[in-house]
Each structure stands twice: as C-alpha cells, then as structure tokens.
Amino acid sequence: RSAVAGNLPFFDRVLFPGSFPPETPPVEDPAPPADERPASASPVREETETEREAWRLLRRAVVSYCGEPVGTVAAEDPECTEMLNYDQVFIRDFVPSALAFLMRGETEIVRNFLLHTLQLQSWEKTVDCYSPGQGLMPASFKIRTVPLDENNEAFEEILDPDFGESAIGRVAPVDSGLWWIILLRAYCKITGDYSLQERVDVQTGIKLILSLCLSDGFDMFPTLLVTDGSCMIDRRMGIHGHPLEIQALFYSALRCSREMIVMNEGSKHLLRAINNRLSALSFHIREYYWVDMNKINEIYRYKTEEYSHDATNKFNIYPEQIPSWLVDWIPEKGGYLIGNLQPAHMDFRFFSLGNLWAISSSLTTPTQAEGILSLIEEKWDDLVANMPVKICYPAMEYDEWRIITGSDPKNT
C-alpha cells in the first residue's frame, strides 16, 4: 500500500517518473564537527545464503554469444533430459533477470540483450507461406554453432530466433515487443545511457513495434485484440480477446515509448497517436474492467439488449454471467480488474500479473490500486497461500477445464 501513497521502490519511480507525487526532501541535520563525524559510512548489508544461492543459479543460466553475455535460459535443470525450448533465452523470461542485473550494477548483459534481440526483429518469419508484421519481436532465441564450410574445420555462432513458427501451437508472442520497450526504458533510466535509445536502429525498432500495435483494424475498442497463448500464459487458458495482462503491458510500453521517441517532424504524428491511445485505453480499463461490490450490484440491475448511444450496458452483459463464487469471495472493501472484456462476455477471474502491472504503470487510479492491494491482503490464502503468487484465481475444474483449455494436460 505504500506504493499508492508515493513511497515507491527505486525501480517504480525510475520507470515512470512524473506519475507520482514528488517526494518531500528530508530535512538534513547540521553537519557535526569534524572530530565527531563517523570514521566510515554505514556498512553494506551482507547477502544472505539464500541470495547467494539465487545469484549462483542465475549466473549458471547466463548464455554467451561470441564471448559476450546476452541473456539467461528459461530453465536450467541438469537432470532434465527433454529440454524442448526451455534452453532458449525468452524475452519475457529474461526481464526479471535483467532487472536483477540492473539493480546490481551489471548492465552489460542487458545492453547486449536489447541490441541482439533488436537485430532479430528484422529477420524473415514465415508460417505456411504467411509472414506477420515486420515489427514482431521473437519469443525466444537460441545460440547455435554451425560449420563455416563443408569440411567442418571452422565454426561460427549464430542466433536462431523463434517468432512462434516453431512454438507449440504456433502463436506469435504479442508481449515480447512490449516487454522489450519496457526493459529498454528501465535500462536507459537506471544507467543514464540515453545514447542507446537515441540510436537510429533502436528508434526504428520502437516505431516498428508501435506500428503493429497502433495499426487500424476492425476493433471498436482501444484495447489490443490477441489470441490465446500470446503472452506469459502461453497455453490455451481462455484469455483470447482483450486480456488484462496485454493491456497493462501495452499501456506501459506506450508510456515508455513516449519518453524515448526522438521528437522531430517525422515523429509528431506517432506521438499524437500514442497520446490519444493512452487516454482512451486508461479510460476504458478503469471504467469497464474494474469490479467491486458496487459494480457487481450495478451489473445485477443491468438492462439488456439496449440499442442507443447512451446505453448503460454497453457490452450487453447478462447478469447471469456473474459466477456464483464471486459474490461470496469479493470483500466489501476492495476490488480488482477483471481478466477480459468482450461483447457479451466478462472474464471475472483474478489475474495477478495484469492487476499488479496495472498498479506499477499507473493504469489504475490510486483508489483502484488501493482496492486491489486490499483485496490481495484480504484474500491472501486464496491468491498466495504456499506459492509465490498464483497466476489466476480461481482454478477451472471438470467440463469447464476440458472445454476452455482443450483438455491440455500441461494445464492440469
């Protein structure tokens, strides 16, 4: 809750400056006489054994390309015999590793990662003779060693990206480009290396990602329309449509891009489009995704089949959609952002990443942020329990699970 009050951690203020009230500078006491000053600064906190073990495991997962670190593998398990694609560097999976490296002052691996993945953006990607947009970032990449000639006397390392054409389900990673923009902003702010974001190739990369996200289509809403499995939840889980996680990342990436795009005649139109989308997106999420006890009571009173410009039930939501568990579960004080919203459909499941990232990026109002944290505190046993935090709540069972996941055994 201190985050809402303005006492945010260092990273939150670095990523989104200007979103929070300015801190009041502490009143400094007069400097003591020279003979009374301490001999040295306060000692640095010593790492715990758990932290040292965590860093040992993280460093063991580091992948090098041409002698330079470029990322960490998705999973590092010496006892695993069938790695599938877990031995690759995933853009979304590397982000928390990158933040750890940045806060530790180890910035080289993050810079290398940003530039090498940017080079992969321009690679040709095709599935059954069809190619997606040029701005698509890969889901992951792998370091491969290939011979330079037929004699196999010399070898070279190459980056082998996967844009979804090899992925299980053949789903393009919508979130990769959004995470890449967010990480670029974090790197530049924390290191002060603004020359990286001003490079022509980096500016082009940002604009290509935005051109995909801001392109005109048939949708009537400012939210991004995506398929199932196109983000961190990369298996079929019934999140196709306008999932909250993608919208929170989209909003965050738009804000980061607005800070990094070089202002000139060529970028004025793009910056105007970003500002317009930010305004529409924030209103849409805050107004229509928010659920608390008052909103549930409002939905129960909805009229349906309204045909007018000033309809209250704009998405034609039938009150019968409200699940039986929700009324007993949601506390009197507090609320959250629902998982998805489409015509005649509201997904009332609580998705952790979407809600928490919405707070971090100021997509929620301060009151809504306070409400989400209150709900997490109130429902701690349901949302956290013995786990770090659950991806979503509640779990599906029986026919609902079979229908929505396609009987996917990895989602058991």
Side-chain angles (χ1 to χ4, degrees):
R1 291 183 177 175
S2 62
V4 185
N7 301 322
L8 283 139
F10 167 72
F11 172 71
D12 298 318
R13 290 192 173 279
V14 159
L15 193 56
F16 302 107
S19 302
F20 309 100
E23 295 180 349
T24 304
V27 179
E28 297 183 0
D29 295 327
D35 57 345
E36 294 181 14
R37 292 175 188 169
S40 60
S42 57
V44 178
R45 184 182 68 84
E46 185 177 347
E47 280 187 341
T48 65
E49 183 58 36
T50 303
E51 289 172 315
R52 284 193 289 270
E53 174 68 5
W55 274 105
R56 187 184 68 81
L57 292 171
L58 187 59
R59 295 192 193 287
R60 198 170 74 184
V62 170
V63 173
S64 293
Y65 172 63
C66 297
E68 295 184 337
V70 292
T72 52
V73 293
E76 210 282 330
D77 185 358
E79 299 180 2
C80 183
T81 56
E82 189 180 7
M83 288 300 294
L84 295 177
N85 58 350
Y86 289 109
D87 61 344
Q88 299 188 23
V89 179
F90 279 77
I91 287 187
R92 74 173 70 94
D93 291 27
F94 179 67
V95 170
S97 300
L99 299 181
F101 283 120
L102 287 175
M103 290 188 286
R104 200 178 177 87
E106 301 178 22
T107 61
E108 179 191 11
I109 186 173
V110 182
R111 180 185 174 90
N112 293 339
F113 171 85
L114 289 167
L115 291 177
H116 283 299
T117 48
L118 177 63
Q119 293 173 357
L120 298 175
Q121 184 188 41
S122 60
W123 282 39
E124 182 180 350
K125 42 254 184 193
T126 305
V127 177
D128 295 338
C129 305
Y130 181 77
S131 299
Q134 188 181 1
L136 182 67
M137 296 292 279
S140 62
F141 64 86
K142 184 181 178 69
I143 312 296
R144 297 193 186 276
T145 303
V146 297
L148 285 172
D149 51 40
E150 297 179 356
N151 299 325
N152 293 340
E153 294 179 353
F155 297 85
E156 69 170 343
E157 289 183 335
I158 63 168
L159 296 177
D160 184 12
D162 177 18
F163 292 91
E165 72 271 28
S166 301
I168 299 169
R170 303 297 189 267
V171 182
V174 177
D175 64 337
S176 288
L178 307 177
W179 278 124
W180 185 86
I181 289 175
I182 293 167
L183 182 58
L184 173 64
R185 173 68 171 161
Y187 169 85
C188 294
K189 286 294 292 185
I190 290 174
T191 64
D193 181 14
Y194 294 102
S195 61
L196 180 65
Q197 70 184 39
E198 294 168 358
R199 287 175 43 154
V200 174
D201 56 342
V202 174
Q203 288 285 310
T204 302
I206 296 173
K207 291 174 182 178
L208 285 174
I209 295 171
L210 293 179
S211 69
L212 274 181
C213 298
L214 297 173
S215 58
D216 295 329
F218 292 100
D219 212 342
M220 295 291 290
F221 314 123
T223 44
L224 280 182
L225 179 64
V226 301
T227 63
D228 226 335
S230 58
C231 56
M232 184 264 293
I233 300 176
D234 59 354
R235 312 285 295 197
R236 183 174 162 190
M237 272 277 283
I239 65 167
H240 57 280
H242 307 88
L244 175 63
E245 176 182 329
I246 288 292
Q247 314 316 323
L249 291 174
F250 182 33
Y251 181 82
S252 183
L254 287 174
R255 293 195 56 192
C256 291
S257 300
R258 184 173 62 179
E259 299 296 327
M260 293 189 293
I261 292 175
V262 176
M263 172 70 82
N264 53 43
E265 285 297 323
S267 63
K268 281 184 177 180
H269 177 73
L270 177 59
L271 289 169
R272 189 180 306 113
I274 290 174
N275 285 326
N276 291 340
R277 193 62 167 265
L278 280 170
S279 177
L281 182 61
S282 60
F283 173 82
H284 186 85
I285 297 296
R286 294 169 182 175
E287 182 71 17
Y288 302 122
Y289 276 64
W290 178 253
V291 166
D292 57 11
M293 191 56 76
N294 290 333
K295 186 61 177 286
I296 292 173
N297 291 328
E298 181 183 324
I299 295 174
Y300 273 125
R301 296 191 297 269
Y302 271 170
K303 294 180 181 179
T304 57
E305 307 301 332
E306 292 182 285
Y307 183 79
S308 67
H309 289 289
D310 56 352
T312 303
N313 188 2
K314 292 182 173 63
F315 298 91
N316 200 36
I317 303 298
Y318 280 80
E320 289 79 6
Q321 282 191 32
I322 299 176
S324 57
W325 60 266
L326 180 62
V327 179
D328 296 329
W329 184 75
I330 195 166
E332 287 292 333
K333 293 184 177 180
Y336 65 100
L337 299 173
I338 61 173
N340 210 326
L341 176 64
Q342 301 183 74
H345 173 66
M346 295 178 79
D347 185 347
F348 287 97
R349 287 177 292 174
F350 178 93
F351 287 85
S352 299
L353 179 58
N355 275 276
L356 294 175
W357 199 259
I359 294 175
S360 298
S361 60
S362 292
L363 176 54
T364 56
T365 65
T367 302
Q368 289 173 342
E370 178 77 19
I372 293 170
L373 296 175
S374 296
L375 179 136
I376 293 174
E377 185 178 45
E378 181 77 17
K379 298 298 177 180
W380 187 268
D381 290 341
D382 292 331
L383 301 177
V384 181
N386 297 322
M387 310 177 74
V389 66
K390 293 181 181 177
I391 290 176
C392 71
Y393 178 87
M396 293 176 286
E397 296 181 297
Y398 309 117
D399 286 341
E400 183 186 27
W401 169 80
R402 279 189 285 272
I403 293 169
I404 291 181
T405 73
S407 298
D408 182 356
K410 289 202 73 172
N411 265 342
T412 303

